[in-house]
Amino acid sequence: GGGGGGGMDDLMAHIYQAELNRVRFLIRAYYRTRLFKIEKHAVHVVKPETNEFAKLSPQEQKYATDYVNMLEEHFGSVLGQMPEKYSSMLQQIEEDDAEMDMVPEPNLDKHVFCRVREDRRDVMFDPNDPDNTMDLDQGDIIMVRYRFIKGLLEDGALDLI
C-alpha cells in the first residue's frame, strides 16, 4: 500500500493553513493600526490646508470624512455654545502673542525604520547640519526622524517598515 503519502499531505495542508492564518493576522493588524492613526489624526487629515487627505485610499477618505462629521455632530451642541473662533473642530485658533492649534497633528520628529529602495549619495538628513551626509545603498535599513526622510518617502526612494 501507499498509505505513507497521506500523512505528508495533511502536514503540508496544516502548514499552509497556519501560514494563511498568519498572513490574515498581519493584514488585520495593519488595518487596525492604519484606522487607529486615521482616527487619531482625522481632523488634521481632512483639513483643506494639508495634502494628507489625497494620500488616503477612497475608502479611507470616506472613513476619515465620516468620522470627523460624526465627531462634529457629537460635539456640536458644546461647540455651538462657544465663541465663534472656537466653534469649529477644523478651525485653528490664533492667540494674540502666539499661535495655538487645537487640532492634533502627527509627531514628525518620531524615529521610524525604513528600507532603502534605491541608491542615493550624500543624503543630508538634518538641514541644520549640512555637512553631515550619508550614502544610502539599496537594501539598507535605517532609523531616522520621519521629518528628515519625508521627501525621500514621497520620491519612492525609501519604504517604511
Side-chain angles (χ1 to χ4, degrees):
M8 184 58 96
D9 289 343
D10 291 345
L11 176 62
M12 290 305 294
H14 184 70
I15 291 171
Y16 286 135
Q17 187 63 43
E19 183 65 12
L20 183 62
N21 289 339
R22 187 184 72 81
V23 169
R24 285 181 183 155
F25 172 81
L26 290 174
I27 290 172
R28 286 186 190 123
Y30 170 79
Y31 281 130
R32 275 193 304 271
T33 302
R34 186 118 169 122
L35 288 176
F36 170 77
K37 289 180 179 181
I38 290 171
E39 287 176 5
K40 183 175 181 182
H41 303 291
V43 177
H44 169 73
V45 168
V46 300
K47 279 176 25 181
E49 306 88 59
T50 68
N51 64 347
E52 305 300 321
F53 192 73
K55 296 177 183 177
L56 301 178
S57 71
Q59 295 87 352
E60 290 170 335
Q61 289 176 348
K62 181 177 178 350
Y63 183 82
T65 304
D66 291 349
Y67 186 78
V68 169
N69 290 339
M70 223 172 36
L71 285 177
E72 283 190 323
E73 184 179 315
H74 178 72
F75 292 118
S77 60
V78 174
L79 292 174
Q81 304 298 319
M82 302 293 282
E84 185 177 333
K85 70 179 193 175
Y86 297 99
S87 65
S88 171
M89 292 184 66
L90 296 177
Q91 182 179 355
Q92 291 188 356
I93 300 170
E94 293 183 17
E95 298 294 328
D96 294 336
D97 57 353
E99 186 177 305
M100 184 181 111
D101 189 357
M102 292 191 332
V103 178
E105 296 181 359
N107 180 0
L108 300 180
D109 287 320
K110 278 195 166 186
H111 286 78
V112 295
F113 286 95
C114 50
R115 178 176 288 117
V116 179
R117 294 181 67 183
E118 57 187 48
D119 293 347
R120 294 282 177 112
R121 298 290 163 243
D122 294 325
V123 176
M124 179 182 61
F125 287 121
D126 188 353
N128 297 326
D129 189 6
D131 295 331
N132 188 5
T133 63
M134 182 176 178
D135 291 340
L136 301 177
D137 296 317
Q138 184 178 4
D140 286 352
I141 296 177
I142 60 172
M143 183 179 83
V144 66
R145 285 189 178 139
Y146 181 82
R147 177 181 312 280
F148 298 152
I149 59 154
K150 186 176 180 188
L152 291 171
L153 283 169
E154 290 169 354
D155 291 346
L158 303 175
D159 284 326
L160 290 177
I161 53 174

